[in-house]
Amino acid sequence: MDRRDFFHGTALLSSGALLGCATPGVAQQQARTPFTVPATYIPIIGSDEVFPVRRIYCIGRNYAAHSREMGSDPTREPPFFFQKPTDAIQYVAAGTVADHPYPSLTKNYHYEAELVAALGKGGRNVPVEKALELVFGYTLGLDMTRRDLQRFMGDQKKPWEIGKSFDKSAPIGAIHKVAQTGHFTKGAIWLKVNGQTKQSADLNMMMWSVAEQIANLSQAFELFPGDIIYSGTPENVGPVMVGDVIEMHIDGLPGLSVRIV
Ligand code: MN
């Protein structure tokens, strides 16, 4: 079993973490199944436990300059969210350069560097002042996007899914517990391609803070432990080609790097 299989694997079945999920509608006891469906885990720094991913939420157009480059008026737009499937996660260990496959169907494959909040508690209608109490930790990730297909579907008023929610579209680093990092309300966020700076901004330029995102999301969905939230990307998104190396950084976290193959 290679490393990727482990993080999308059944290696932890015996831990009891997989079954007995508290989500309504999910079987509460162990059942015999004709095959196994992988679950997704992300390593937790400084712990022998791993973080089980329940859902991946992503906010759209959360930095004004990026909103403008996507053709929106940021002053009039409430936050909106989409989801990626849990198994879109591609875990990337710090200090490594993971191979990231150029996906099918696109000719305009874009990076988006983002802070990611990982929830250890759930709730609905969570007030902004209490929202950060739900956060277990933070990491950084790439919201990889088939931009041509996202635009094509948007222009036709059809769902974005094919542009955003495809296999391996969510490269992500290990989770850092909030006790070790504090909350991320400011600090540099940047992304380089082949050593050249493409995105460079500050987390304090988010239009909706992580706390506001949690509060807003919790009005639409009941949040649960294991939910993670990609908190949006700054301006200057752009394309990559096979052979390019993406390096991203957020102050206070180790970097994340992938090579497009
Ligand atoms: Mn994004």
Side-chain angles (χ1 to χ4, degrees), residues 35-113:
F35 49 82
T36 44
V37 175
T40 300
Y41 304 94
I42 305 171
I44 301 167
I45 294 297
S47 171
D48 58 3
E49 295 181 312
V50 289
F51 185 91
V53 182
R54 175 178 176 267
R55 287 188 183 173
I56 306 172
Y57 293 105
C58 307
I59 189 171
R61 297 171 200 165
N62 196 30
Y63 290 74
H66 173 61
S67 184
R68 281 191 288 273
E69 79 181 347
M70 297 303 288
S72 297
D73 176 355
T75 61
R76 287 187 303 145
E77 202 167 86
F80 71 95
F81 299 87
F82 59 93
Q83 291 186 42
K84 290 178 186 263
T86 302
D87 66 356
I89 292 278
Q90 180 186 14
Y91 169 64
V92 182
T96 69
V97 183
D99 284 349
H100 177 84
Y102 195 100
S104 62
L105 302 181
T106 184
K107 291 185 167 58
N108 194 18
Y109 192 41
H110 277 206
Y111 47 78
E112 297 189 358

Side-chain angles (χ1 to χ4, degrees), residues 58-60 66 82 112 114 143 145 164 230 232-233:
C58 307
I59 189 171
H66 173 61
F82 59 93
E112 297 189 358
E114 310 200 4
D143 167 14
T145 303
K164 283 288 194 181
Y230 276 65
T233 197

Side-chain angles (χ1 to χ4, degrees), residues 4-258:
R4 191 193 65 200
D5 285 342
F6 176 80
F7 290 110
H8 285 296
T10 53
L12 299 184
L13 264 171
S14 62
S15 75
L18 275 178
L19 297 167
C21 175
T23 306
V26 175
Q28 296 292 303
Q29 78 278 356
Q30 189 146 0
R32 292 178 60 240
T33 56
F35 49 82
T36 44
V37 175
T40 300
Y41 304 94
I42 305 171
I44 301 167
I45 294 297
S47 171
D48 58 3
E49 295 181 312
V50 289
F51 185 91
V53 182
R54 175 178 176 267
R55 287 188 183 173
I56 306 172
Y57 293 105
C58 307
I59 189 171
R61 297 171 200 165
N62 196 30
Y63 290 74
H66 173 61
S67 184
R68 281 191 288 273
E69 79 181 347
M70 297 303 288
S72 297
D73 176 355
T75 61
R76 287 187 303 145
E77 202 167 86
F80 71 95
F81 299 87
F82 59 93
Q83 291 186 42
K84 290 178 186 263
T86 302
D87 66 356
I89 292 278
Q90 180 186 14
Y91 169 64
V92 182
T96 69
V97 183
D99 284 349
H100 177 84
Y102 195 100
S104 62
L105 302 181
T106 184
K107 291 185 167 58
N108 194 18
Y109 192 41
H110 277 206
Y111 47 78
E112 297 189 358
E114 310 200 4
L115 174 71
V116 180
L119 303 190
K121 295 179 184 157
R124 46 164 82 103
N125 298 319
V126 179
V128 174
E129 320 83 70
K130 300 260 185 195
L132 291 182
E133 294 175 12
L134 271 56
V135 177
F136 176 88
Y138 291 92
T139 187
L140 70 186
L142 294 166
D143 167 14
M144 296 304 293
T145 303
R146 289 160 158 160
R147 190 73 68 200
D148 44 358
L149 296 182
Q150 181 199 17
R151 288 210 177 102
F152 179 77
M153 297 303 274
D155 289 347
Q156 297 199 37
K157 302 197 186 320
K158 289 175 179 171
W160 270 4
E161 219 125 342
I162 199 171
K164 283 288 194 181
S165 306
F166 50 91
D167 299 344
K168 295 193 170 63
S169 60
I172 197 166
I175 306 286
H176 292 252
K177 291 181 181 174
V178 70
Q180 283 144 14
T181 61
H183 292 286
F184 288 76
T185 53
K186 60 180 166 46
I189 176 171
W190 56 249
L191 178 146
K192 297 178 181 178
V193 177
N194 303 329
Q196 188 177 8
T197 299
K198 299 290 188 181
Q199 295 188 280
S200 182
D202 195 288
L203 297 174
N204 67 12
M205 296 165 77
M206 286 187 193
M207 291 191 286
W208 301 90
S209 67
V210 169
E212 289 170 324
Q213 292 175 52
I214 291 168
N216 196 281
L217 260 177
S218 75
Q219 295 171 12
F221 307 95
E222 182 171 2
L223 299 175
F224 282 90
D227 290 343
I228 67 175
I229 305 170
Y230 276 65
S231 63
T233 197
E235 65 277 17
N236 298 322
V237 298
V240 284
M241 311 286 286
V242 169
D244 286 346
V245 173
I246 300 174
E247 178 189 5
M248 76 157 289
H249 166 94
I250 289 175
D251 283 355
L253 294 170
L256 181 152
S257 293
V258 298

